[in-house]
Amino acid sequence: MKGDSENRFPEGVARREVERRRNGVAVRLRDAVAEEIPIAFVYNDRPHAVMMATPADLEDFARGFSLSEGIVDDVSQCGKVEIVEALAGIELRIDIPAANAALLEDRVRELTGRTGCGLCGAQTLDAAVRHPPAVAEAPDVAEAALRRALCEMPSLQVVNAATGAVHAAAWANLDGHIALLREDVGRHNALDKLIGAMQRAGTDPCTGFLVVTSRASYEMVMKAATVGIGFLAAVSAPTALAIALAREANLTLVGFARADGYGVYAHGRRLLARSAAQPAHEVFGQRTA
């Protein structure tokens, strides 16, 4: 059982001894570190995947992963979610309809994922690169709202504040205020947890936008588009494949998002600049207004 000092930390944070050396002086102390353990997804009693993840918000993780990976089409198809602690990690035992379980069996994707891995174990190129349907509807987002969300996020990242080791995925309302945020050592896991939280809250993807603290890799765009999210802003860079998929999926993709600027890589019409009278000037490697 954790002591009182450990209970002050948020879920997913552990304490470990460290020797800190500064200016030739060594000090031993107990440091806050992010937990990372195997999380096994078990559907209808059959193992499917093992992801290395932070053991927090696990029901959200179960439902979000099931949706973003196309295992179910709607959160209502996720029945009972049982969280079972095992010697080596945690099992998420999820009940899904028999028809979904049969399709899952056909995919033959029993896999072991490294931290946040979104493709590990895919056995064919078609399985590795999924093409979700184009997002049917997505909102316009004001620059001011994006800036507000970016400014709000750090104060809500409690696990990262304690450890400096995790990613965050946040859902912002169109006014830029953060409505939901989830953290994990894996960027894909953080997004899956957020998707699960959104579904449980009944959040409509047309009522806001997604902000992530990581790079915008293909898997992040794929997961967002799969659940109907049409606007994704990443603090770091996008990949070429992510840009191609965003363009194909009708998803607005913003990279290098900062309070003082950003790069627009796909469907930039939805990001509303300060003034239509101030056209954007394209410069290689950056976008300025």
Side-chain angles (χ1 to χ4, degrees), residues 59-68 75 78-81 196 200:
E59 185 167 349
D60 290 338
F61 193 18
R63 298 183 186 280
F65 179 89
S66 301
L67 285 162
S68 74
V75 72
C78 279
K80 180 181 176 183
V81 175
R200 289 214 293 162

Side-chain angles (χ1 to χ4, degrees), residues 154-227:
S155 65
L156 301 175
Q157 295 170 240
V158 293
V159 177
N160 195 60
T163 67
V166 299
H167 290 293
W171 183 252
N173 297 324
L174 291 178
D175 60 7
H177 290 298
I178 302 297
L180 292 166
L181 183 143
R182 292 293 183 268
E183 296 178 277
D184 198 276
V185 290
R187 63 187 185 277
H188 309 102
N189 300 338
L191 178 51
D192 281 333
K193 288 178 179 181
L194 177 68
I195 289 169
M198 290 173 60
Q199 291 292 325
R200 289 214 293 162
T203 302
D204 185 343
C206 290
T207 61
F209 58 97
L210 171 63
V211 184
V212 298
T213 60
S214 65
R215 70 180 183 271
S217 59
Y218 150 78
E219 298 93 335
M220 302 296 276
V221 172
M222 180 272 293
K223 287 175 179 289
T226 296
V227 299

Side-chain angles (χ1 to χ4, degrees), residues 13 26 41 45 48 57 66 74 81 111 152 175 185 189 212 227 272-273 275 287:
V13 177
F41 289 80
D45 297 322
H48 170 64
D57 301 305
S66 301
D74 186 89
V81 175
L111 54 96
E152 276 192 13
D175 60 7
V185 290
N189 300 338
V212 298
V227 299
L272 305 181
S275 169
R287 180 183 186 275

Side-chain angles (χ1 to χ4, degrees), residues 200-275:
R200 289 214 293 162
T203 302
D204 185 343
C206 290
T207 61
F209 58 97
L210 171 63
V211 184
V212 298
T213 60
S214 65
R215 70 180 183 271
S217 59
Y218 150 78
E219 298 93 335
M220 302 296 276
V221 172
M222 180 272 293
K223 287 175 179 289
T226 296
V227 299
I229 294 172
F231 193 110
L232 166 59
V235 169
S236 192
T239 66
L241 185 55
I243 294 168
L245 183 65
R247 291 173 177 172
E248 176 187 317
N250 192 33
L251 180 146
T252 296
L253 179 60
V254 176
F256 295 110
R258 303 287 192 276
D260 61 350
Y262 49 81
V264 182
Y265 293 88
H267 299 290
R269 67 187 182 280
R270 297 192 185 104
L271 183 55
L272 305 181
R274 288 187 295 270
S275 169

Side-chain angles (χ1 to χ4, degrees), residues 131-169:
H131 296 266
V135 175
E137 187 178 356
D140 292 336
V141 175
E143 276 186 344
L146 178 56
R147 288 196 300 272
R148 183 177 294 119
L150 291 166
C151 290
E152 276 192 13
M153 281 187 71
S155 65
L156 301 175
Q157 295 170 240
V158 293
V159 177
N160 195 60
T163 67
V166 299
H167 290 293

